[in-house]
Amino acid sequence: MVVHDDSLLIAARFQGPPTSGNGGYVCGALGQRLGGTVEVRLHRPPPLDRPLLIVCDGAALHLRDGDSLLATARPARLRMDIPRPPTWAEAAAAGMSPAATAHHAAHPFPGCFVCGPGRASGEGLRLFAGPVRPNLWATVWTPTAAVADAAGRVAPAIVWAALDCPTYMPFLAHERMMLLGTMTARRLDEVHAGRRYLLMTWPMRAEGRKFVAGGALFDDTDELVAACEAVWIAL
């Protein structure tokens, strides 16, 4: 796929921390321009509500704000063992569990588009994953028309965003502030508004200040529709 120089404006609606874009959404906005399996590395927090330049450099895309490099996207491979999913009842219960509720009640970024409890339904995804069993967190997501096009299709950037924040949950016990550093994802099928999806995440490894988690999204026929590996950096 040939991509020419382009621009990206991250609307305030898609914020993570108050003054920058949600990491998963930004990764997805670049990733969907390449298609297939893509790795996106975030170098600096992307600002909101102003045009950012996307520069094509061979197989890679670079997101820039003037002289500042914000993110780099390139084709990649995604190799992981996906655990056995929980039941739908277990995933739904986990998303409303005391552990999930307690975390989001003390959320450092309540306005986050994906997991912020300060966002009303339709304004944000409100994805609150909770523990199902040791080393597995899950929730159920039903996308609304607010994140879909006229045909009911959810944009790939929104799917990346949905996979992002829940992958932080396996590392809550470390009690350290972390930010998304790199996300590698592939989307196998379209996601549609009004359908139920089971989202789950699990820890994979830790490397110094880097904490790596996997994420997977299943449709209501239990087919895998998207998967990711997320690298979180402890501050």
Side-chain angles (χ1 to χ4, degrees), residues 67-150:
D67 293 333
S68 295
L69 178 62
L70 304 177
T72 301
R74 53 176 45 91
R77 293 183 178 181
L78 187 61
R79 296 188 180 98
M80 65 170 67
D81 294 322
I82 297 178
R84 173 177 56 85
T87 67
W88 285 83
E90 288 172 333
M96 297 183 291
S97 68
T101 302
H103 167 65
H104 290 91
H107 201 297
F109 306 125
C112 175
F113 171 69
V114 178
C115 62
R119 302 296 288 268
S121 179
E123 294 180 353
L125 302 186
R126 295 180 58 83
L127 281 173
F128 309 144
V132 175
R133 57 179 184 260
N135 292 329
L136 189 71
W137 281 253
T139 191
V140 173
W141 176 38
T142 304
T144 68
V147 295
D149 63 16

Side-chain angles (χ1 to χ4, degrees), residues 156-231:
I158 302 293
V159 178
W160 280 61
L163 286 166
D164 164 23
C165 292
T167 59
Y168 174 74
M169 298 301 288
F171 308 121
L172 279 181
H174 294 274
E175 297 182 347
R176 301 173 71 180
M177 177 65 74
M178 302 182 191
L179 295 177
L180 183 67
T182 303
M183 189 172 184
T184 305
R186 69 171 180 261
R187 190 177 62 112
L188 305 174
D189 203 351
E190 290 183 342
V191 173
H192 295 271
R195 289 185 65 176
R196 291 200 316 157
Y197 294 86
L198 190 153
L199 192 157
M200 71 179 199
T201 179
W202 61 96
M204 295 174 65
R205 60 188 181 274
E207 305 165 351
R209 292 173 50 232
K210 295 181 180 181
F211 295 81
V212 186
L217 188 70
F218 298 85
D219 68 16
D220 51 12
T221 68
D222 297 326
E223 289 294 320
L224 180 69
V225 296
C228 79
E229 178 182 290
V231 180

Side-chain angles (χ1 to χ4, degrees), residues 53-78:
L53 182 64
I54 299 175
V55 179
C56 180
D57 178 17
L61 296 180
H62 303 288
L63 182 66
R64 306 191 68 92
D65 181 21
D67 293 333
S68 295
L69 178 62
L70 304 177
T72 301
R74 53 176 45 91
R77 293 183 178 181
L78 187 61

